[in-house]
Amino acid sequence: MKRCEVCGNDYENPFEVKFSNDNKSHWFDCFECAVHRLAPNCNECGVRILGHGVQVGNHFFCGAHCARLNGHKEIVDHSEKIFSQ
Ligand SMILES: [Zn+2]
Ligand SMILES: [Zn+2]
């Protein structure tokens, strides 16, 4: 039985998260532990990114707003385009 790599629990129904780029396996007993270990933090405000977010190079942002605060002026939200029309 695989133990959760965050809390060590040996829950009877653990699940595996595997990344396609390095084929590394991560085992967890719950989504909260998986998020704690794997979800990136916004490079600007520090919030955990659970949705799509924005990636610029190796930096992750929670959205276009934070990407622009970090100097990436070219990043635009689709929603901002709609509302400015
Ligand atoms: Zn856990
Ligand atoms: Zn942010």
Side-chain angles (χ1 to χ4, degrees):
M1 191 69 71
K2 296 281 188 183
R3 286 177 177 270
C4 174
E5 70 177 57
V6 173
C7 70
N9 186 20
D10 62 350
Y11 177 53
E12 62 183 355
N13 289 310
F15 62 93
E16 178 183 24
V17 177
K18 191 181 267 187
F19 287 94
S20 57
N21 60 349
D22 63 5
N23 221 30
K24 266 191 190 157
S25 279
H26 299 269
W27 286 89
F28 303 101
D29 62 339
C30 68
F31 284 113
E32 184 164 7
C33 284
V35 163
H36 179 77
R37 175 58 49 86
L38 300 177
N41 290 89
C42 176
N43 206 61
E44 175 63 29
C45 72
V47 77
R48 225 173 256 293
I49 302 167
L50 300 181
H52 290 104
V54 173
Q55 184 176 3
V56 183
N58 290 324
H59 294 139
F60 293 91
F61 301 97
C62 64
H65 170 79
C66 278
R68 284 197 302 273
L69 285 178
N70 237 254
H72 304 292
K73 307 280 184 217
E74 72 283 6
I75 304 297
V76 184
D77 268 336
H78 184 60
S79 60
E80 291 167 3
K81 278 186 193 165
I82 292 171
F83 289 122
S84 66
Q85 283 173 358

